[in-house]
Amino acid sequence: MMKFIRGMGAIALAFLSLPALAQQLSGSEVIRVVQNGTTKSTTMAGLLASRGISPQVDKLVRQQQRALSSNAYDLPDYGSGPSAGKAAPTLTWSATAGTGKTQARLMNDADNSWGAFYGGIPTQVSGASFGFPVVASAVANPVGGSGRGAVGWAIEIITDDAAPALMLNYNPVAQVRILVDGQFVSRTPAVMGNANSGGFQYLIIDFGAKSAKGRHIRFESELNLPFRGVYVSPTSRVWRPTPADFLRAAWIGDSKAAYGTQSNTPNSFAHDNYASITMRVLGVTDALQLGVAGTGIASDNPSLGLRYGARMNDLALLQALPGGVDAVFVQGSINDRDKAPALIQSELAGNIVAIRAIVGPAVPIFVIGVDSGGLGSGYNVAAGVLAAEQAMLAAVNASADQLVSFVPISTAAPTPVMFGDGSTGTASAYMQADLIHETFGASVPGTGGMEYLARASAAGIRVATTKLRR
């Protein structure tokens, strides 16, 4: 793609004053720039770098703008909105893939061009099956696998088949969800079916007819649910999506970035937790959740994992994925509310330095304040929460890193992000009875406290990202 920008004197960043143009650019376009009568060629990324602007920051701004109107959480279910007039597929659990179906690809194929994997690093479990997410952890999780909770993972394919089938090992508590062309078939996830007496299960996604251009299918799940491949008709194709607007981000957090079915939260789904929804509404394609319940910047959980600093090995492995990460989010934790502010500030300062060493000089780091849960009364946030957030702000202010931003939550102006009823600190529709964990919106989509908190945080992150670009 070629763009032509005319400037006088210094190279003009015309796209900064032309938002519509900026949103069309990916960063790799070749651009002709006329400078003092001389025509030069560069790329959008090169032009940004020449002006001291991080290409990743510019990419985030453009993606966040696109996502305001195109993320799945703000679109109706498939069959309405962009897909109006199209029938939603029928989802059926079966003991077989269907008549005449053949396995298009095995998970252990050397060529992974058939699908994209999000949420972690797939690692072989047994035979042709893989589990997600698999990255190293400082402390083993006694429940099994990594030191994080049951975070979400996803697989995306494009296929022209009329009724593709996904083959999985059986897990009686795992939940799943399907998106087609960027829209949920149903926002509410469903528990995995058992059509084969605990054996392999096939999820058949029946559209009734083939698609000439192919349909973009995203399969979301959680837990260590081995995935074994895709089945289609012999005359159908399956290929890997290559979105121009691809974004990968890592979120270091506590239980609100670790929840899945195996948690103390009712109606929960790992893709509907605080970390996942925040990243998805910001346009992140691959939302990596490095969450451990009961931890924080200065808090350890002896049975599950250590404080945030212990997750740097995980981040390094994810940074080694092709293209690395485009942003890192560090979530303040209510678990730190009884920790000394000086300790929180010191630990976070060390985290920022460590993250920068891993992700390189151009990746923005967003430090998100501490949500108060339902604690506090009379619109006053609990003192320990305020102290923790103020310690985090102090660490960011003291940092010489120009690509670190602070996003206030409990100190947000004009009013903090609070739950409870605003006067007594009791649980509301957004809070669970422990006053620590927000509710999920799985049973009533769009009403859960996790989503409320995520949207409030996303709004602050958009503002912070725009400031980084100036």
Side-chain angles (χ1 to χ4, degrees):
M1 181 177 181
M2 184 78 72
K3 297 287 182 185
F4 186 84
I5 298 176
R6 182 177 296 275
M8 297 179 64
I11 295 176
L13 287 178
F15 69 94
L16 287 177
S17 60
L18 295 172
L21 172 60
Q23 291 179 32
Q24 298 172 23
L25 303 176
S26 68
S28 61
E29 297 88 351
V30 176
I31 303 168
R32 285 182 182 172
V33 181
V34 178
Q35 182 182 16
N36 295 329
T38 302
T39 300
K40 301 179 179 180
S41 295
T42 184
T43 62
M44 177 55 69
L47 187 57
L48 291 167
S50 73
R51 304 293 292 187
I53 299 175
S54 163
Q56 278 93 341
V57 170
D58 185 70
K59 184 179 180 182
L60 286 174
V61 170
R62 289 183 280 107
Q63 274 303 95
Q64 289 171 10
Q65 290 297 317
R66 288 192 184 103
L68 284 172
S69 59
S70 63
N71 77 84
Y73 287 89
D74 287 317
L75 292 174
D77 287 348
Y78 191 82
S80 300
S83 58
K86 299 180 180 179
T90 300
L91 306 180
T92 305
W93 291 100
S94 173
T96 65
T99 304
K101 299 287 183 180
T102 59
Q103 193 165 32
R105 291 288 190 274
L106 291 172
M107 281 295 292
N108 60 355
D109 280 354
D111 175 14
N112 69 346
S113 62
W114 66 273
F117 317 126
Y118 302 141
I121 302 172
T123 301
Q124 191 168 3
V125 175
S126 61
S129 68
F130 280 67
F132 295 78
V134 182
V135 294
S137 180
V139 177
N141 184 342
V143 177
S146 74
R148 287 173 311 288
V151 296
W153 55 269
I155 293 173
E156 288 191 2
I157 62 171
I158 301 176
T159 180
D160 59 357
D161 195 71
L166 308 179
M167 182 183 181
L168 304 104
N169 285 22
Y170 179 61
N171 186 320
V173 296
Q175 296 183 92
V176 301
R177 187 165 62 188
I178 297 290
L179 292 86
V180 177
D181 294 335
Q183 291 178 265
F184 294 119
V185 173
S186 172
R187 165 72 189 271
T188 304
V191 176
M192 185 176 186
N194 184 12
N196 192 27
S197 300
F200 297 139
Q201 309 292 320
Y202 296 86
L203 176 58
I204 299 175
I205 309 169
D206 191 351
F207 294 93
K210 293 188 68 170
S211 169
K213 69 174 184 178
R215 300 180 181 93
H216 188 138
I217 298 174
R218 179 181 175 112
F219 173 82
E220 296 182 341
S221 192
E222 57 189 358
L223 311 177
N224 188 16
L225 174 62
F227 179 88
R228 302 187 70 89
V230 181
Y231 282 71
V232 296
S233 299
T235 58
S236 296
R237 299 171 297 153
V238 177
W239 65 98
R240 179 190 181 101
T242 54
D245 54 359
F246 177 84
L247 273 181
R248 176 184 290 124
W251 183 293
I252 300 174
D254 55 17
S255 56
K256 297 175 186 183
Y259 275 151
T261 302
Q262 291 180 342
S263 74
N264 64 346
T265 305
N267 301 317
S268 66
F269 183 49
H271 289 276
D272 283 340
N273 66 25
Y274 176 28
S276 182
I277 295 180
T278 304
M279 289 190 279
R280 294 286 292 281
V281 300
L282 290 172
V284 174
T285 314
D286 189 3
L288 304 165
Q289 303 173 51
L290 299 178
V292 179
T295 66
I297 294 169
S299 298
D300 298 323
N301 182 329
S303 64
L304 291 178
L306 300 178
R307 64 194 66 182
Y308 292 0
R311 255 151 279 173
M312 297 305 150
N313 288 338
D314 290 350
L315 180 61
L317 287 172
L318 298 174
Q319 175 63 18
L321 291 168
V325 299
D326 295 298
V328 177
F329 300 96
V330 181
Q331 171 214 328
S333 175
I334 201 170
N335 296 321
D336 285 334
R337 66 189 182 278
D338 60 349
K339 297 297 189 262
L343 176 61
I344 296 171
Q345 182 176 345
S346 174
E347 288 283 335
L348 180 56
N351 292 166
I352 291 171
V353 172
I355 292 169
R356 178 60 64 215
I358 293 169
V359 301
V363 174
I365 301 169
F366 297 92
V367 176
I368 303 169
V370 187
D371 81 272
S372 63
L375 303 178
S377 62
Y379 295 97
N380 293 316
V381 178
V385 171
L386 279 178
E389 179 156 315
Q390 289 163 346
M392 295 172 66
L393 175 59
V396 172
N397 286 340
S399 173
D401 195 317
Q402 297 300 304
L403 287 181
V404 176
S405 290
F406 181 73
V407 180
I409 299 296
S410 287
T411 58
T415 56
V417 179
M418 284 193 69
F419 301 92
D421 66 7
S423 61
T424 64
T426 56
S428 71
Y430 291 115
M431 286 303 303
Q432 296 184 59
D434 62 7
L435 302 183
I436 298 294
H437 299 105
E438 288 78 20
T439 57
F440 276 72
S443 58
V444 185
T447 63
M450 288 287 181
E451 182 169 344
Y452 180 94
L453 176 60
R455 290 184 179 279
S457 299
I461 292 167
R462 291 188 192 99
V463 172
T465 309
T466 302
K467 288 180 179 179
L468 285 177
R469 192 186 190 190
R470 293 173 181 168

